[in-house]
Amino acid sequence: MFINWAHFIIPKITFILSFIANPVFVYLIRTEKVIQFGDYRYLLYFFAIFNLTASVVDILIPACVYSYRYAAVFFIVDSVFSERSNFAPTLISLRCAFIAGTYGILNIHFIFRYNVLKNTSFVSHYFMPYGLILSIFLVIFHIGLWTFVVEPTMYSSDESRNYVRQAFQEEYGVDVNTISTKIAVYAEASSGIVFRAWIGTGVVTVIASYSMTLYFVLGYKFQIMSGLNQGSATMSLKTAQMQKRLFWALTIQTIIPICVSFMPVTLVLYGSAFCIDFPNWINWGSATAISFFPFLDPLAIIMCLPALRQRLGRKIGIRPSQVQVSSNQINTIDG
């Protein structure tokens, strides 16, 4: 099934950019001499691995969304998994669950940076390997919980398929009974189907909402503590300034999933729940926007840390107008 050229090409472009940006990011972190990343670098390596995995999943399970009255239809396009099967709907759940994975990544990042400022010695002693293992587990837990919730609550029953069948065929020229789908119907269906849809939507909303709340609460505390620690004897001025630059990187990294994950999912699900007739480009654009996260995420850190940004600039032939950090000024950012 072919949606349009934008939906077909953009995920391929972001896939290529992700496989450029993340290895470059790992290389810059691994070879950095001015900034001592310490154990923090292992967390950043994990983020890069997640981003690459998300890009691969996006290519293997290219998804799209269709809204009709009180229904939201998630389906696979241009893939060997497009045809209806017992296994493919689980892949749709897994593909959507990587949205929750992006929330987990940022949760970990905020918690780590906050604890570096609040309890440096604890992080230094226990992050490797326990903190890293817990970080990986938390991301897997987010993905698993989302999959576990969506799988039964947005099950494509015959009633759900019949509800959208005619409209879907008029839009795409394909019988919805022949493809793999997950369907949430919020009204005009049996009580069981409607109840499951609202339960599933409620749980994924809670997952997203708690993550957003955590970002803002810890972000606010992070900013206050960075300011207090500038005058602290336990942290040098240069290290405190580096912490602030990382805070701005985290701010940008927070904006990215809000724009490419949280808002698209919210528009699709609640637009259908309240029968809001969005233009079709909102539907396929929502599915496409998610593919931007894996390559924008590492760029946020590279662009916000002058040492990394300047090294990248020199590698591609752009010389900084003024060297802001000399080689004998070593900054530590993991405490």
Side-chain angles (χ1 to χ4, degrees), residues 2-17 58-59 62 77-78 284 288 291-292:
F2 182 79
I3 305 300
N4 56 47
W5 282 109
H7 181 272
F8 179 78
I9 292 176
I10 290 176
K12 276 71 172 179
I13 295 174
T14 55
F15 172 83
I16 294 171
L17 292 175
D58 191 47
I59 289 295
V77 297
D78 304 318
W284 64 258
T288 302
S291 65
F292 281 86

Side-chain angles (χ1 to χ4, degrees), residues 68-109:
Y68 168 70
R69 292 186 60 78
Y70 292 100
V73 183
F74 302 85
F75 57 100
I76 301 175
V77 297
D78 304 318
S79 171
V80 295
F81 306 111
S82 299
E83 294 185 3
R84 185 174 180 176
S85 67
N86 294 327
F87 178 66
T90 303
L91 294 179
I92 299 175
S93 301
L94 179 64
R95 169 65 184 85
C96 296
F98 267 79
I99 298 172
T102 64
Y103 301 151
I105 287 291
L106 287 180
N107 289 347
I108 293 165
H109 210 168

Side-chain angles (χ1 to χ4, degrees), residues 173-187:
V174 175
D175 187 347
V176 74
N177 288 318
T178 64
I179 62 174
S180 299
T181 61
K182 302 296 290 185
I183 305 176
V185 184
Y186 299 93

Side-chain angles (χ1 to χ4, degrees), residues 149-189:
V149 169
V150 169
E151 189 65 12
T153 59
M154 299 184 184
Y155 172 73
S156 301
S157 64
D158 291 338
E159 182 182 353
S160 300
R161 290 177 180 272
N162 289 333
Y163 181 79
V164 301
R165 181 178 181 181
Q166 182 176 350
F168 190 92
Q169 188 154 9
E170 290 175 357
E171 181 69 31
Y172 299 110
V174 175
D175 187 347
V176 74
N177 288 318
T178 64
I179 62 174
S180 299
T181 61
K182 302 296 290 185
I183 305 176
V185 184
Y186 299 93
E188 300 180 340

Side-chain angles (χ1 to χ4, degrees), residues 19 21 30 35 41 52 70 98 132 139 145 150 167-168 201 204 225 232 259 271-272 276 280 294 316 322:
F19 268 76
R30 183 175 176 79
I35 303 173
R41 68 185 185 275
L52 293 173
Y70 292 100
F98 267 79
L132 182 61
V139 173
L145 178 61
V150 169
F168 190 92
T201 301
V204 299
M225 294 179 68
S232 170
C259 293
S272 299
I276 301 174
N280 194 37
I316 60 177
Q322 181 179 2

Side-chain angles (χ1 to χ4, degrees), residues 205-280:
T205 301
V206 168
I207 295 173
S209 298
Y210 109 82
S211 297
M212 297 299 153
T213 302
L214 184 68
Y215 302 160
F216 290 117
V217 171
L218 290 186
Y220 177 71
K221 290 185 176 182
F222 186 98
Q223 188 176 30
I224 291 176
M225 294 179 68
S226 294
L228 292 175
N229 281 331
Q230 277 193 326
S232 170
T234 62
M235 182 177 292
S236 69
L237 177 61
K238 294 184 183 300
T239 300
Q241 289 174 342
M242 190 63 64
Q243 297 287 355
K244 280 204 166 185
R245 293 192 183 104
L246 281 169
F247 169 75
W248 287 114
L250 282 174
T251 301
I252 295 172
Q253 286 179 298
T254 302
I255 294 172
I256 292 169
I258 289 176
C259 293
V260 306
S261 299
F262 181 75
M263 289 180 62
V265 170
T266 302
L267 283 174
V268 168
L269 293 178
Y270 285 96
S272 299
F274 296 103
C275 198
I276 301 174
D277 187 19
F278 288 120
N280 194 37

